[in-house]
Amino acid sequence: MDTLELIKYLEDKDTRRCGWGMDVIDTSFETMPSEFIGFAESDLQSSFDHKYINALSNAKRALDCQADRLLKLFGYYKESQDKFWGFPKKLELIQKFEIIAPRVLNKINKTRNLMEHQYIKPKSDQVEDFLDIASLFIASTDHYASNFIDHVDYINEDNKDYEKYSEVNINIPLSVTRRGH
């Protein structure tokens, strides 16, 4: 099937996706985002005066770690480390891959920046919001961070023009969407 025939097949009203397959890619780090979230939750439960500072720092580590896992998936992690990409630049690239990275992540990062660079103590509600948003981001992107769709199957049983192609399997080479490590 040539490219034009494939496009026509895929655009046909009777063609539907019937399956796909995934490849597992190791994007892990020694400490994972969920662990940092756990540390932040523990920090909030502590009786220390600096619990909000520690919780915010650990929640930010969780965000950074998850962003780096996504960059690993697409082969940009090493470049991001070599060029010292900040969190906003990492998010910008993640958004280009059409992975949910809401603008609110940059907004909440400002809370952390005020603490880190202007030494302003975060308020409890700011830290709790930051932690909730970080947890939601990690939960919503976790399946991307280790699984990569490597083929999609389509079927069209109703259109006689496609009898010889009742089922089409499209393999997606990893090199198409992923850069070198």
PDB file of all heavy atoms in Angstrom, residues 70 73-74 90-102 137 140-141 143-144:
ATOM      1  N   LEU A  70      10.047  12.381  31.233  1.00  0.00           N
ATOM      2  CA  LEU A  70       9.440  12.586  29.924  1.00  0.00           C
ATOM      3  C   LEU A  70      10.498  12.978  28.888  1.00  0.00           C
ATOM      4  O   LEU A  70      10.453  12.531  27.743  1.00  0.00           O
ATOM      5  CB  LEU A  70       8.331  13.632  30.011  1.00  0.00           C
ATOM      6  CG  LEU A  70       7.126  13.205  30.849  1.00  0.00           C
ATOM      7  CD1 LEU A  70       6.228  14.401  31.159  1.00  0.00           C
ATOM      8  CD2 LEU A  70       6.343  12.098  30.170  1.00  0.00           C
ATOM      9  N   LEU A  73      12.278   9.904  27.771  1.00  0.00           N
ATOM     10  CA  LEU A  73      11.465   9.137  26.833  1.00  0.00           C
ATOM     11  C   LEU A  73      11.708   9.593  25.397  1.00  0.00           C
ATOM     12  O   LEU A  73      11.826   8.773  24.492  1.00  0.00           O
ATOM     13  CB  LEU A  73       9.983   9.272  27.184  1.00  0.00           C
ATOM     14  CG  LEU A  73       9.013   8.583  26.247  1.00  0.00           C
ATOM     15  CD1 LEU A  73       9.127   7.069  26.370  1.00  0.00           C
ATOM     16  CD2 LEU A  73       7.591   9.021  26.542  1.00  0.00           C
ATOM     17  N   PHE A  74      11.792  10.898  25.187  1.00  0.00           N
ATOM     18  CA  PHE A  74      11.951  11.432  23.848  1.00  0.00           C
ATOM     19  C   PHE A  74      13.394  11.745  23.483  1.00  0.00           C
ATOM     20  O   PHE A  74      13.650  12.320  22.422  1.00  0.00           O
ATOM     21  CB  PHE A  74      11.064  12.668  23.671  1.00  0.00           C
ATOM     22  CG  PHE A  74       9.602  12.311  23.670  1.00  0.00           C
ATOM     23  CD1 PHE A  74       8.805  12.627  24.746  1.00  0.00           C
ATOM     24  CD2 PHE A  74       9.040  11.623  22.613  1.00  0.00           C
ATOM     25  CE1 PHE A  74       7.462  12.281  24.762  1.00  0.00           C
ATOM     26  CE2 PHE A  74       7.704  11.270  22.625  1.00  0.00           C
ATOM     27  CZ  PHE A  74       6.906  11.597  23.694  1.00  0.00           C
ATOM     28  N   LYS A  90      11.764  23.010  29.821  1.00  0.00           N
ATOM     29  CA  LYS A  90      11.403  21.593  29.780  1.00  0.00           C
ATOM     30  C   LYS A  90       9.908  21.438  29.500  1.00  0.00           C
ATOM     31  O   LYS A  90       9.494  20.624  28.677  1.00  0.00           O
ATOM     32  CB  LYS A  90      11.760  20.902  31.094  1.00  0.00           C
ATOM     33  CG  LYS A  90      13.249  20.779  31.336  1.00  0.00           C
ATOM     34  CD  LYS A  90      13.527  20.166  32.698  1.00  0.00           C
ATOM     35  CE  LYS A  90      15.012  20.112  32.980  1.00  0.00           C
ATOM     36  NZ  LYS A  90      15.293  19.469  34.286  1.00  0.00           N
ATOM     37  N   LEU A  91       9.093  22.237  30.186  1.00  0.00           N
ATOM     38  CA  LEU A  91       7.644  22.179  29.974  1.00  0.00           C
ATOM     39  C   LEU A  91       7.264  22.558  28.553  1.00  0.00           C
ATOM     40  O   LEU A  91       6.361  21.956  27.956  1.00  0.00           O
ATOM     41  CB  LEU A  91       6.928  23.119  30.942  1.00  0.00           C
ATOM     42  CG  LEU A  91       6.618  22.590  32.317  1.00  0.00           C
ATOM     43  CD1 LEU A  91       5.779  23.592  33.089  1.00  0.00           C
ATOM     44  CD2 LEU A  91       5.923  21.256  32.273  1.00  0.00           C
ATOM     45  N   GLU A  92       7.944  23.540  28.010  1.00  0.00           N
ATOM     46  CA  GLU A  92       7.666  23.973  26.643  1.00  0.00           C
ATOM     47  C   GLU A  92       7.872  22.811  25.658  1.00  0.00           C
ATOM     48  O   GLU A  92       7.046  22.579  24.775  1.00  0.00           O
ATOM     49  CB  GLU A  92       8.597  25.139  26.297  1.00  0.00           C
ATOM     50  CG  GLU A  92       8.379  25.741  24.940  1.00  0.00           C
ATOM     51  CD  GLU A  92       9.380  26.868  24.675  1.00  0.00           C
ATOM     52  OE1 GLU A  92       9.630  27.683  25.594  1.00  0.00           O
ATOM     53  OE2 GLU A  92       9.908  26.914  23.560  1.00  0.00           O
ATOM     54  N   LEU A  93       8.953  22.071  25.824  1.00  0.00           N
ATOM     55  CA  LEU A  93       9.211  20.930  24.944  1.00  0.00           C
ATOM     56  C   LEU A  93       8.187  19.817  25.168  1.00  0.00           C
ATOM     57  O   LEU A  93       7.674  19.230  24.215  1.00  0.00           O
ATOM     58  CB  LEU A  93      10.628  20.395  25.149  1.00  0.00           C
ATOM     59  CG  LEU A  93      10.998  19.214  24.246  1.00  0.00           C
ATOM     60  CD1 LEU A  93      10.955  19.611  22.775  1.00  0.00           C
ATOM     61  CD2 LEU A  93      12.362  18.678  24.608  1.00  0.00           C
ATOM     62  N   ILE A  94       7.867  19.546  26.409  1.00  0.00           N
ATOM     63  CA  ILE A  94       6.879  18.501  26.726  1.00  0.00           C
ATOM     64  C   ILE A  94       5.544  18.833  26.064  1.00  0.00           C
ATOM     65  O   ILE A  94       4.877  17.960  25.511  1.00  0.00           O
ATOM     66  CB  ILE A  94       6.751  18.323  28.254  1.00  0.00           C
ATOM     67  CG1 ILE A  94       8.029  17.676  28.801  1.00  0.00           C
ATOM     68  CG2 ILE A  94       5.522  17.500  28.617  1.00  0.00           C
ATOM     69  CD1 ILE A  94       8.169  17.739  30.306  1.00  0.00           C
ATOM     70  N   GLN A  95       5.160  20.096  26.067  1.00  0.00           N
ATOM     71  CA  GLN A  95       3.912  20.517  25.427  1.00  0.00           C
ATOM     72  C   GLN A  95       3.960  20.293  23.919  1.00  0.00           C
ATOM     73  O   GLN A  95       2.949  19.974  23.307  1.00  0.00           O
ATOM     74  CB  GLN A  95       3.617  21.977  25.742  1.00  0.00           C
ATOM     75  CG  GLN A  95       3.174  22.180  27.168  1.00  0.00           C
ATOM     76  CD  GLN A  95       3.087  23.638  27.562  1.00  0.00           C
ATOM     77  OE1 GLN A  95       3.866  24.461  27.108  1.00  0.00           O
ATOM     78  NE2 GLN A  95       2.135  23.959  28.420  1.00  0.00           N
ATOM     79  N   LYS A  96       5.129  20.426  23.312  1.00  0.00           N
ATOM     80  CA  LYS A  96       5.259  20.198  21.869  1.00  0.00           C
ATOM     81  C   LYS A  96       4.974  18.740  21.508  1.00  0.00           C
ATOM     82  O   LYS A  96       4.590  18.452  20.382  1.00  0.00           O
ATOM     83  CB  LYS A  96       6.643  20.609  21.376  1.00  0.00           C
ATOM     84  CG  LYS A  96       6.817  22.103  21.306  1.00  0.00           C
ATOM     85  CD  LYS A  96       8.170  22.491  20.774  1.00  0.00           C
ATOM     86  CE  LYS A  96       8.299  24.012  20.769  1.00  0.00           C
ATOM     87  NZ  LYS A  96       9.616  24.448  20.365  1.00  0.00           N
ATOM     88  N   PHE A  97       5.182  17.840  22.429  1.00  0.00           N
ATOM     89  CA  PHE A  97       4.865  16.429  22.209  1.00  0.00           C
ATOM     90  C   PHE A  97       3.404  16.124  22.560  1.00  0.00           C
ATOM     91  O   PHE A  97       3.011  14.976  22.618  1.00  0.00           O
ATOM     92  CB  PHE A  97       5.804  15.529  23.013  1.00  0.00           C
ATOM     93  CG  PHE A  97       7.175  15.436  22.411  1.00  0.00           C
ATOM     94  CD1 PHE A  97       8.241  16.086  22.993  1.00  0.00           C
ATOM     95  CD2 PHE A  97       7.387  14.713  21.246  1.00  0.00           C
ATOM     96  CE1 PHE A  97       9.511  16.007  22.434  1.00  0.00           C
ATOM     97  CE2 PHE A  97       8.644  14.629  20.681  1.00  0.00           C
ATOM     98  CZ  PHE A  97       9.712  15.281  21.272  1.00  0.00           C
ATOM     99  N   GLU A  98       2.647  17.192  22.790  1.00  0.00           N
ATOM    100  CA  GLU A  98       1.217  17.096  23.089  1.00  0.00           C
ATOM    101  C   GLU A  98       0.922  16.276  24.335  1.00  0.00           C
ATOM    102  O   GLU A  98      -0.060  15.551  24.417  1.00  0.00           O
ATOM    103  CB  GLU A  98       0.438  16.587  21.878  1.00  0.00           C
ATOM    104  CG  GLU A  98       0.533  17.542  20.705  1.00  0.00           C
ATOM    105  CD  GLU A  98      -0.296  17.126  19.508  1.00  0.00           C
ATOM    106  OE1 GLU A  98      -1.001  16.097  19.577  1.00  0.00           O
ATOM    107  OE2 GLU A  98      -0.230  17.852  18.508  1.00  0.00           O
ATOM    108  N   ILE A  99       1.805  16.414  25.305  1.00  0.00           N
ATOM    109  CA  ILE A  99       1.586  15.814  26.621  1.00  0.00           C
ATOM    110  C   ILE A  99       1.119  16.938  27.528  1.00  0.00           C
ATOM    111  O   ILE A  99       1.662  18.048  27.492  1.00  0.00           O
ATOM    112  CB  ILE A  99       2.874  15.155  27.160  1.00  0.00           C
ATOM    113  CG1 ILE A  99       3.234  13.959  26.272  1.00  0.00           C
ATOM    114  CG2 ILE A  99       2.707  14.742  28.609  1.00  0.00           C
ATOM    115  CD1 ILE A  99       4.533  13.289  26.639  1.00  0.00           C
ATOM    116  N   ILE A 100       0.138  16.654  28.319  1.00  0.00           N
ATOM    117  CA  ILE A 100      -0.439  17.682  29.184  1.00  0.00           C
ATOM    118  C   ILE A 100       0.623  18.257  30.109  1.00  0.00           C
ATOM    119  O   ILE A 100       1.236  17.540  30.897  1.00  0.00           O
ATOM    120  CB  ILE A 100      -1.596  17.108  30.021  1.00  0.00           C
ATOM    121  CG1 ILE A 100      -2.724  16.662  29.096  1.00  0.00           C
ATOM    122  CG2 ILE A 100      -2.096  18.122  31.025  1.00  0.00           C
ATOM    123  CD1 ILE A 100      -3.805  15.860  29.800  1.00  0.00           C
ATOM    124  N   ALA A 101       0.843  19.532  29.968  1.00  0.00           N
ATOM    125  CA  ALA A 101       1.742  20.265  30.858  1.00  0.00           C
ATOM    126  C   ALA A 101       1.124  21.644  31.040  1.00  0.00           C
ATOM    127  O   ALA A 101       1.496  22.595  30.366  1.00  0.00           O
ATOM    128  CB  ALA A 101       3.142  20.357  30.251  1.00  0.00           C
ATOM    129  N   PRO A 102       0.137  21.744  31.902  1.00  0.00           N
ATOM    130  CA  PRO A 102      -0.615  22.990  32.019  1.00  0.00           C
ATOM    131  C   PRO A 102       0.232  24.183  32.455  1.00  0.00           C
ATOM    132  O   PRO A 102       1.221  24.046  33.166  1.00  0.00           O
ATOM    133  CB  PRO A 102      -1.681  22.671  33.063  1.00  0.00           C
ATOM    134  CG  PRO A 102      -1.339  21.378  33.648  1.00  0.00           C
ATOM    135  CD  PRO A 102      -0.288  20.725  32.826  1.00  0.00           C
ATOM    136  N   PHE A 137      -0.180  16.290  38.017  1.00  0.00           N
ATOM    137  CA  PHE A 137       0.664  16.257  36.821  1.00  0.00           C
ATOM    138  C   PHE A 137       1.361  14.899  36.700  1.00  0.00           C
ATOM    139  O   PHE A 137       1.378  14.284  35.625  1.00  0.00           O
ATOM    140  CB  PHE A 137       1.694  17.390  36.856  1.00  0.00           C
ATOM    141  CG  PHE A 137       2.727  17.300  35.768  1.00  0.00           C
ATOM    142  CD1 PHE A 137       2.374  17.518  34.438  1.00  0.00           C
ATOM    143  CD2 PHE A 137       4.051  17.014  36.069  1.00  0.00           C
ATOM    144  CE1 PHE A 137       3.332  17.437  33.429  1.00  0.00           C
ATOM    145  CE2 PHE A 137       5.007  16.928  35.061  1.00  0.00           C
ATOM    146  CZ  PHE A 137       4.653  17.152  33.745  1.00  0.00           C
ATOM    147  N   SER A 140      -1.142  12.166  35.817  1.00  0.00           N
ATOM    148  CA  SER A 140      -1.668  12.255  34.449  1.00  0.00           C
ATOM    149  C   SER A 140      -0.617  11.977  33.377  1.00  0.00           C
ATOM    150  O   SER A 140      -0.969  11.728  32.225  1.00  0.00           O
ATOM    151  CB  SER A 140      -2.308  13.629  34.208  1.00  0.00           C
ATOM    152  OG  SER A 140      -1.322  14.630  34.147  1.00  0.00           O
ATOM    153  N   THR A 141       0.649  12.009  33.731  1.00  0.00           N
ATOM    154  CA  THR A 141       1.701  11.781  32.731  1.00  0.00           C
ATOM    155  C   THR A 141       2.490  10.500  32.963  1.00  0.00           C
ATOM    156  O   THR A 141       3.336  10.153  32.143  1.00  0.00           O
ATOM    157  CB  THR A 141       2.683  12.969  32.687  1.00  0.00           C
ATOM    158  OG1 THR A 141       3.272  13.145  33.987  1.00  0.00           O
ATOM    159  CG2 THR A 141       1.995  14.243  32.240  1.00  0.00           C
ATOM    160  N   HIS A 143       1.839   7.352  32.666  1.00  0.00           N
ATOM    161  CA  HIS A 143       1.772   6.326  31.627  1.00  0.00           C
ATOM    162  C   HIS A 143       2.627   6.693  30.418  1.00  0.00           C
ATOM    163  O   HIS A 143       3.115   5.810  29.717  1.00  0.00           O
ATOM    164  CB  HIS A 143       0.327   6.036  31.219  1.00  0.00           C
ATOM    165  CG  HIS A 143      -0.364   7.186  30.574  1.00  0.00           C
ATOM    166  ND1 HIS A 143      -0.860   8.255  31.283  1.00  0.00           N
ATOM    167  CD2 HIS A 143      -0.645   7.422  29.277  1.00  0.00           C
ATOM    168  CE1 HIS A 143      -1.418   9.108  30.439  1.00  0.00           C
ATOM    169  NE2 HIS A 143      -1.303   8.622  29.220  1.00  0.00           N
ATOM    170  N   TYR A 144       2.839   7.987  30.143  1.00  0.00           N
ATOM    171  CA  TYR A 144       3.719   8.394  29.047  1.00  0.00           C
ATOM    172  C   TYR A 144       5.184   8.127  29.401  1.00  0.00           C
ATOM    173  O   TYR A 144       5.988   7.847  28.525  1.00  0.00           O
ATOM    174  CB  TYR A 144       3.598   9.896  28.757  1.00  0.00           C
ATOM    175  CG  TYR A 144       2.281  10.353  28.233  1.00  0.00           C
ATOM    176  CD1 TYR A 144       1.471  11.169  29.013  1.00  0.00           C
ATOM    177  CD2 TYR A 144       1.837   9.993  26.969  1.00  0.00           C
ATOM    178  CE1 TYR A 144       0.255  11.626  28.531  1.00  0.00           C
ATOM    179  CE2 TYR A 144       0.620  10.435  26.483  1.00  0.00           C
ATOM    180  CZ  TYR A 144      -0.160  11.252  27.270  1.00  0.00           C
ATOM    181  OH  TYR A 144      -1.356  11.703  26.804  1.00  0.00           O
TER     182      TYR A 144
END
